[in-house]
Amino acid sequence: MSSNERIFVQAIRSYCARHGIAIDVRADGWLIAMHRGGTRRFAFGYDIGLNSAIAHRLANDKSATSEVLALAGVPSVAHHLFLNPKLGEHVAGQRWWEAMLRLLMQHPQGLVAKPNEGTAGRSVIKVTSSAELEGAVSEIFAMSLGLVIAPYVEIEDEVRIILLDETPMVVYGKERPSVTGDGVQTLRELAGAMPKVKLDELDARELNVVVPKGERRFLTWRHNLDAGAKPVLIADGEVRATCAKLAIDAARAIGITFASIDLVRVDGAWKVLEINSGVMMEALGKLHPGLVQATYDAALDRVFGSEH
């Protein structure tokens, strides 16, 4: 087993070894074949095949998820779809740029543009002007057939819930990277030990100012684990119960069985941000390997019908 192998692949290897299941890992772990007797199952990416095709497609399409949740009356952050103009006017429409500018006018606090399909916060860009919007759209359309635009909101907290059969297996908050001033070092110096944080997203003038002793500064507006945020398990209590109920409502709305659901608290109210059909727990697995293994074990029990 390679030390660089993803935790997802390691977890499947462990499960199969303990349950007499043959495993064939292909494409550097992105395709895994599992077979025992006459039963053959596959894992692809971070998806182990528990979800229906339509639930998988809805979850992987941010715009479709937003529309379905709205139809079901589940509170969520709206995501407006725009198709790549390279697809032609009959598909993308003629006035997509004007529609984007109208959204910007309606939300002077800014917008967030991102690929309609994608994870880990890649090419998620905050914009506050037409020039920034144009740059973001060009970047995303260069790599994607569609993008979504959501209003920028001040996220007070973000929570991820891993659901299996409407049971919250894992509930954790995403703690944004921050530093505490010592009255001596500048923000740039304090942030130097955090390589995942993109300092170019911070005000250049603030970077060279000494942070007062004891003052806490967040280094990014993002809550993505790949951007330096840390997963912090949430104990039983009101927050966990409230988030679990909302996540279950969201899962029911799109008919999904095994999913990773991100919730955000805005102005004191919880909303669904997005749903992922592929359940990735790489960052959490480094801190809580037993919990992650138990979660994948439970999901794989469902895949193989709990036949041991």
Side-chain angles (χ1 to χ4, degrees):
M1 182 188 304
S2 169
S3 60
N4 295 324
E5 198 168 60
R6 289 178 298 140
I7 288 173
F8 176 78
V9 180
Q10 295 175 20
I12 292 178
R13 284 190 186 277
S14 174
Y15 180 89
C16 290
R18 286 180 280 116
H19 293 87
I21 299 171
I23 181 173
D24 191 354
V25 178
R26 301 293 182 93
D28 292 328
W30 293 102
L31 173 63
I32 302 173
M34 301 166 282
H35 52 94
R36 181 177 58 191
T39 301
R40 183 185 295 273
R41 297 288 184 265
F42 296 94
F44 184 76
Y46 284 96
D47 195 315
I48 63 171
L50 277 180
N51 300 318
S52 69
I54 189 63
H56 170 76
R57 293 196 65 182
L58 287 173
N60 286 351
D61 186 301
K62 295 178 177 63
S63 172
T65 295
S66 176
E67 296 286 1
V68 172
L69 293 179
L71 285 171
V74 177
S76 65
V77 176
H79 286 72
H80 304 273
L81 175 66
F82 293 91
L83 296 176
N84 197 316
K86 292 180 181 178
L87 295 172
E89 289 186 356
H90 63 290
V91 175
Q94 296 179 330
R95 307 185 69 84
W96 56 272
W97 177 243
E98 289 87 344
M100 289 182 180
L101 290 177
R102 281 197 299 272
L103 282 173
L104 185 60
M105 291 179 62
Q106 292 166 6
H107 301 283
Q109 77 277 15
L111 302 172
V112 176
K114 50 190 169 181
N116 188 37
E117 298 184 22
T119 59
R122 297 181 181 89
S123 294
V124 176
I125 305 169
K126 178 186 175 185
V127 301
T128 56
S129 68
S130 59
E132 290 176 346
L133 178 60
E134 184 176 11
V137 169
S138 295
E139 177 181 327
I140 297 171
F141 275 158
M143 56 173 287
S144 176
L145 293 178
L147 65 77
V148 286
I149 292 178
Y152 172 75
V153 293
E154 290 285 349
I155 296 176
E156 297 156 9
D157 294 291
E158 183 167 332
V159 168
R160 172 166 289 180
I161 297 185
I162 310 298
L163 279 184
L164 174 63
D165 290 324
E166 299 188 2
T167 297
M169 305 296 293
V170 179
V171 182
Y172 65 84
K174 298 180 182 181
E175 187 176 276
R176 284 184 293 164
S178 64
V179 295
T180 301
D182 59 8
V184 176
Q185 299 182 82
T186 65
L187 183 58
R188 184 188 302 276
E189 291 169 335
L190 291 168
M194 299 183 177
K196 287 187 176 182
V197 177
K198 296 181 179 180
L199 296 183
D200 57 358
E201 293 185 347
L202 298 173
D203 189 318
R205 293 168 297 182
E206 293 183 8
L207 283 172
N208 297 316
V209 175
V210 172
V211 181
K213 186 174 182 179
E215 186 171 304
R216 186 185 187 193
R217 297 278 182 86
F218 287 108
L219 299 178
T220 177
W221 57 274
R222 304 167 185 269
H223 287 74
N224 302 97
L225 299 177
D226 280 0
K230 294 181 179 179
V232 179
L233 294 179
I234 297 177
D236 289 341
E238 183 179 351
V239 170
R240 183 185 173 103
T242 299
C243 290
K245 182 182 183 306
L246 180 55
I248 291 169
D249 288 344
R252 286 176 178 169
I254 70 169
I256 201 162
T257 300
F258 188 42
S260 169
I261 302 177
D262 288 340
L263 312 177
V264 294
R265 188 162 63 91
V266 179
D267 294 329
W270 288 98
K271 297 182 178 183
V272 178
L273 180 63
E274 61 182 52
I275 301 174
N276 295 296
S277 178
V279 177
M280 178 171 64
M281 294 185 282
E282 300 298 306
L284 186 68
K286 295 174 183 177
L287 300 174
H288 303 281
L291 177 60
V292 169
Q293 183 69 58
T295 301
Y296 284 131
D297 282 357
L300 288 164
D301 279 347
R302 283 275 281 104
V303 169
F304 286 94
S306 300
E307 297 176 2
H308 305 315

